[in-house]
Amino acid sequence: MKPLTIKDVARQAGVSPKTVSRVINGEAHVRPEVREAVARVVAEMNYQPNAFARGLSSTRSFLIGLFFDDPACSYANDVLLGALGRARALGRHLVIETVAFDRADWRERLEESLRGLRLGGAILTPPIGDRDDLIAIFERHDVPVVRIAPGTHTARTPRVWMDDRAAARTMTEHLLAQGHRRIGFVRGNPQHTASERRWMGFYEAMTDFGIVPDMAHVAQGDFTFRSGLLAAETLLRGANPPSAIFASNDEMALGVLTAASAAQIAVPQSLAIAGFDDAQLARMAWPQLTTIRQPNVEMAAAAIDLLVDRPPDDGVMPALELPYELVVRASSVADDAREVQPKAQTGA
């Protein structure tokens, strides 16, 4: 079947191909009734314009780059879903790219990608959004950037974020409210600034309650399942093991859960376990994981919006804070209670 062209749409709508192009590209100087008629025909015919061709014929590209350091992680899946859905709704297309800082030529590879793709904008996920040298490369290529959950509040780019520190504090307060005093903590990848913020939230909640965290109950992880498993094996072998373990993400929390199962430790009766993210695996585990629900899908969609709606000319970069939720499931409560406790945050 011959692919539809812009001429086919123009013929069906009774307008010129140039008018169809203006409507698709969101340009001005099109009467509302004409814009509506063309949009209706585009939808009815399911016309999919070529994103690269649109970029070549316009002063701006309709390609948006979504940059990860590890696109295989569970966090990346939610970000991809949010960005993809919003980009499609706005007539943009995503290009998934990775930045491998362990390669000596990562700068050259990034420069090559930006020259070839001619991106209209880029979304930087953690931790790469905290690299000033990387942001400078995008600036040299005149590619607008929005950062998701950055650790630094530079005025160079818009950002979308949630309060990891407050969220970790909320989770720790939940475990304290369940009567736990020996609470273990598995720290995340030290290259991610969110790891430090979550540790600070945990530490503050404990000390405000009058408990100085026992460093024998703190283990280093790197956000992977294996690191959570190894951390839990170490923590649970101690002479006075914790009665609860809070892992900095759900993958590590699942590793803790596996270690507890292997040691025949009943969860949550003998050990409460909590994670962070509300990844799909948190609901697939047994018992299901108590966790912090990050608005990853919503943050990615908001990042697309910030790219399409460019910052005002006053130079003030938008900073949008989205709310998190405490999701209590069976891994932390003996009566298998289920509840969601929203923690509304205001945008800044």
Side-chain angles (χ1 to χ4, degrees), residues 11-132:
R11 188 180 304 110
Q12 184 68 21
V15 298
S16 69
K18 187 173 183 180
T19 298
V20 176
S21 177
R22 285 176 174 172
V23 172
I24 292 173
N25 292 334
E27 297 178 13
H29 311 301
V30 180
R31 296 196 309 274
E33 61 272 20
V34 174
R35 186 182 302 277
E36 182 179 346
V38 172
R40 182 169 58 251
V41 172
V42 167
E44 290 173 351
M45 298 181 73
N46 194 28
Y47 173 62
Q48 301 291 331
N50 182 282
F52 186 67
R54 291 166 66 192
L56 291 176
S57 63
S58 173
T59 58
R60 56 199 174 105
S61 170
F62 286 79
L63 295 176
I64 293 176
L66 182 57
F67 287 78
F68 294 98
D69 72 324
D70 179 13
C73 65
S74 59
Y75 164 83
N77 183 62
D78 285 344
V79 172
L80 178 58
L81 287 175
L84 183 61
R86 192 60 180 151
R88 282 178 173 171
L90 295 177
R92 268 63 175 178
H93 295 259
L94 283 183
V95 178
I96 311 303
E97 291 288 314
T98 59
V99 180
F101 291 119
D102 58 343
R103 293 182 60 111
D105 64 343
W106 73 264
R107 293 176 179 82
E108 291 77 9
R109 292 167 65 88
L110 178 58
E111 297 262 12
E112 182 180 354
S113 293
L114 294 181
R115 282 192 297 268
L117 291 171
R118 300 181 69 252
L119 296 175
I123 297 173
L124 306 184
T125 61
I128 64 177
D130 290 318
R131 294 285 298 257
D132 288 338

Side-chain angles (χ1 to χ4, degrees), residues 7 45 64 70 92 105 118-119 121 134 146 171 180 183 207 223 238 242 256 277 283-284 289 296 298 301 308 311 341:
K7 291 182 179 180
M45 298 181 73
I64 293 176
D70 179 13
R92 268 63 175 178
D105 64 343
R118 300 181 69 252
L119 296 175
L134 180 139
V146 174
M171 178 60 77
H180 298 285
I183 303 177
T207 54
F223 284 147
V256 174
D277 282 339
R283 299 180 290 278
M284 295 170 62
L289 286 173
N296 293 327
E298 294 82 0
V308 174
Q341 301 178 13

